[in-house]
Short mmCIF file of all heavy atoms in Angstrom, two decimals:
data_model
loop_
_atom_site.label_atom_id
_atom_site.label_comp_id
_atom_site.label_asym_id
_atom_site.label_seq_id
_atom_site.Cartn_x
_atom_site.Cartn_y
_atom_site.Cartn_z
N LYS A 9 -46.13 5.41 -18.69
CA LYS A 9 -46.19 6.46 -17.70
C LYS A 9 -45.31 6.04 -16.53
O LYS A 9 -45.50 4.98 -15.93
CB LYS A 9 -47.62 6.66 -17.23
CG LYS A 9 -47.74 7.82 -16.26
CD LYS A 9 -49.16 8.10 -15.92
CE LYS A 9 -49.17 9.29 -14.94
NZ LYS A 9 -50.50 9.69 -14.60
N GLU A 13 -41.63 10.49 -11.04
CA GLU A 13 -41.11 11.50 -11.96
C GLU A 13 -39.65 11.76 -11.67
O GLU A 13 -39.25 12.00 -10.54
CB GLU A 13 -41.90 12.81 -11.83
CG GLU A 13 -43.34 12.70 -12.27
CD GLU A 13 -43.48 12.36 -13.74
OE1 GLU A 13 -42.71 12.88 -14.56
OE2 GLU A 13 -44.43 11.59 -14.10
N HIS A 14 -38.82 11.67 -12.72
CA HIS A 14 -37.40 11.94 -12.65
C HIS A 14 -37.02 12.73 -13.87
O HIS A 14 -37.51 12.43 -14.97
CB HIS A 14 -36.59 10.65 -12.61
CG HIS A 14 -36.87 9.81 -11.43
ND1 HIS A 14 -36.39 10.04 -10.15
CD2 HIS A 14 -37.59 8.68 -11.31
CE1 HIS A 14 -36.81 9.13 -9.33
NE2 HIS A 14 -37.55 8.27 -9.99
N CYS A 23 -23.68 11.81 -22.96
CA CYS A 23 -22.71 11.62 -24.00
C CYS A 23 -21.44 10.99 -23.50
O CYS A 23 -20.88 10.11 -24.17
CB CYS A 23 -22.40 12.95 -24.72
SG CYS A 23 -23.83 13.58 -25.67
N LYS A 24 -20.97 11.41 -22.34
CA LYS A 24 -19.79 10.81 -21.74
C LYS A 24 -20.00 9.33 -21.45
O LYS A 24 -19.16 8.50 -21.70
CB LYS A 24 -19.41 11.54 -20.46
CG LYS A 24 -18.14 11.06 -19.82
CD LYS A 24 -17.78 11.90 -18.60
CE LYS A 24 -16.50 11.34 -17.92
NZ LYS A 24 -16.20 12.11 -16.73
N ARG A 27 -19.92 7.03 -24.55
CA ARG A 27 -18.59 6.74 -25.09
C ARG A 27 -18.08 5.37 -24.65
O ARG A 27 -17.17 4.82 -25.23
CB ARG A 27 -17.59 7.84 -24.71
CG ARG A 27 -17.91 9.17 -25.40
CD ARG A 27 -16.95 10.23 -24.98
NE ARG A 27 -15.62 10.04 -25.45
CZ ARG A 27 -15.14 10.55 -26.59
NH1 ARG A 27 -15.93 11.27 -27.34
NH2 ARG A 27 -13.90 10.31 -26.97
N ILE A 36 -24.85 3.82 -43.70
CA ILE A 36 -26.20 3.79 -44.19
C ILE A 36 -26.21 4.61 -45.47
O ILE A 36 -25.75 5.76 -45.44
CB ILE A 36 -27.17 4.41 -43.14
CG1 ILE A 36 -27.12 3.63 -41.85
CG2 ILE A 36 -28.56 4.50 -43.67
CD1 ILE A 36 -27.71 4.34 -40.66
N ALA A 37 -26.68 4.01 -46.55
CA ALA A 37 -26.65 4.73 -47.83
C ALA A 37 -28.05 4.65 -48.49
O ALA A 37 -28.79 3.71 -48.24
CB ALA A 37 -25.62 4.09 -48.77
N ALA A 51 -26.15 3.43 -34.80
CA ALA A 51 -27.52 3.27 -34.29
C ALA A 51 -28.38 2.39 -35.22
O ALA A 51 -29.30 2.86 -35.86
CB ALA A 51 -28.17 4.63 -34.10
N PRO A 59 -41.00 -11.01 -39.84
CA PRO A 59 -40.18 -10.85 -41.02
C PRO A 59 -38.82 -10.22 -40.68
O PRO A 59 -38.72 -9.58 -39.60
CB PRO A 59 -41.02 -9.87 -41.87
CG PRO A 59 -41.80 -9.06 -40.86
CD PRO A 59 -42.07 -10.00 -39.73
N PRO A 60 -37.84 -10.35 -41.54
CA PRO A 60 -36.52 -9.77 -41.24
C PRO A 60 -36.59 -8.24 -41.26
O PRO A 60 -36.89 -7.63 -42.28
CB PRO A 60 -35.64 -10.29 -42.37
CG PRO A 60 -36.54 -10.74 -43.45
CD PRO A 60 -37.88 -11.05 -42.82
N VAL A 66 -31.68 7.81 -37.73
CA VAL A 66 -30.96 8.84 -38.49
C VAL A 66 -31.43 10.23 -38.03
O VAL A 66 -32.65 10.48 -37.92
CB VAL A 66 -31.22 8.67 -40.03
CG1 VAL A 66 -30.51 9.77 -40.81
CG2 VAL A 66 -30.79 7.30 -40.49
N ASN A 67 -30.48 11.08 -37.80
CA ASN A 67 -30.77 12.50 -37.43
C ASN A 67 -31.45 13.19 -38.59
O ASN A 67 -31.06 13.06 -39.74
CB ASN A 67 -29.43 13.18 -37.08
CG ASN A 67 -29.65 14.54 -36.45
OD1 ASN A 67 -30.40 15.38 -36.98
ND2 ASN A 67 -28.99 14.78 -35.35
N VAL A 105 -13.90 16.23 -48.51
CA VAL A 105 -14.72 15.13 -49.07
C VAL A 105 -16.15 15.28 -48.53
O VAL A 105 -16.37 15.27 -47.31
CB VAL A 105 -14.13 13.74 -48.67
CG1 VAL A 105 -15.08 12.64 -49.13
CG2 VAL A 105 -12.77 13.56 -49.26
N GLU A 108 -21.29 13.30 -52.97
CA GLU A 108 -20.98 12.20 -53.89
C GLU A 108 -19.52 11.69 -53.78
O GLU A 108 -19.27 10.52 -54.00
CB GLU A 108 -21.26 12.63 -55.33
CG GLU A 108 -21.08 11.57 -56.38
CD GLU A 108 -22.06 10.40 -56.25
OE1 GLU A 108 -23.19 10.56 -55.78
OE2 GLU A 108 -21.64 9.29 -56.65
N ARG A 110 -17.92 10.99 -51.26
CA ARG A 110 -17.80 9.94 -50.22
C ARG A 110 -17.80 8.53 -50.83
O ARG A 110 -17.24 7.63 -50.30
CB ARG A 110 -18.94 10.06 -49.21
CG ARG A 110 -18.83 11.31 -48.38
CD ARG A 110 -19.98 11.46 -47.44
NE ARG A 110 -19.71 12.59 -46.53
CZ ARG A 110 -20.53 12.94 -45.55
NH1 ARG A 110 -21.65 12.25 -45.33
NH2 ARG A 110 -20.25 13.95 -44.79
N PRO A 118 -25.20 -0.53 -57.45
CA PRO A 118 -26.63 -0.37 -57.18
C PRO A 118 -27.21 -1.71 -56.75
O PRO A 118 -26.96 -2.74 -57.34
CB PRO A 118 -27.19 0.08 -58.53
CG PRO A 118 -26.11 -0.06 -59.54
CD PRO A 118 -24.84 -0.36 -58.85
N GLY A 119 -28.05 -1.66 -55.71
CA GLY A 119 -28.75 -2.82 -55.22
C GLY A 119 -30.00 -3.09 -56.04
O GLY A 119 -30.28 -2.39 -57.04
N CYS A 135 -32.72 -2.57 -47.68
CA CYS A 135 -34.00 -2.51 -46.95
C CYS A 135 -35.02 -1.61 -47.61
O CYS A 135 -34.65 -0.59 -48.25
CB CYS A 135 -33.75 -1.96 -45.55
SG CYS A 135 -32.58 -2.91 -44.58
N PHE A 149 -36.24 4.51 -38.41
CA PHE A 149 -36.78 3.86 -39.60
C PHE A 149 -36.88 2.35 -39.34
O PHE A 149 -35.88 1.71 -39.01
CB PHE A 149 -35.87 4.08 -40.83
CG PHE A 149 -35.83 5.52 -41.27
CD1 PHE A 149 -34.67 6.30 -41.13
CD2 PHE A 149 -36.93 6.12 -41.86
CE1 PHE A 149 -34.63 7.58 -41.54
CE2 PHE A 149 -36.90 7.44 -42.28
CZ PHE A 149 -35.74 8.21 -42.11
N CYS A 151 -37.25 -1.04 -40.96
CA CYS A 151 -36.87 -1.45 -42.33
C CYS A 151 -37.03 -2.96 -42.51
O CYS A 151 -36.50 -3.71 -41.71
CB CYS A 151 -35.43 -1.05 -42.59
SG CYS A 151 -35.11 0.70 -42.39
N THR A 157 -26.28 -9.18 -48.97
CA THR A 157 -25.12 -9.49 -49.81
C THR A 157 -23.85 -9.17 -48.98
O THR A 157 -23.98 -8.80 -47.82
CB THR A 157 -25.12 -8.63 -51.08
OG1 THR A 157 -25.19 -7.25 -50.71
CG2 THR A 157 -26.31 -9.01 -52.00
N PRO A 165 -14.76 -7.07 -37.42
CA PRO A 165 -15.57 -5.88 -37.74
C PRO A 165 -14.86 -4.61 -37.29
O PRO A 165 -13.98 -4.66 -36.38
CB PRO A 165 -16.85 -6.11 -36.96
CG PRO A 165 -16.38 -6.90 -35.76
CD PRO A 165 -15.32 -7.80 -36.26
#
Side-chain angles (χ1 to χ4, degrees):
K9 184 175 180 176
E13 294 297 322
H14 299 282
C23 291
K24 183 177 179 182
R27 291 177 70 92
I36 300 165
V66 179
N67 190 309
V105 174
E108 183 65 30
R110 292 177 172 182
C135 303
F149 293 111
C151 302
T157 57

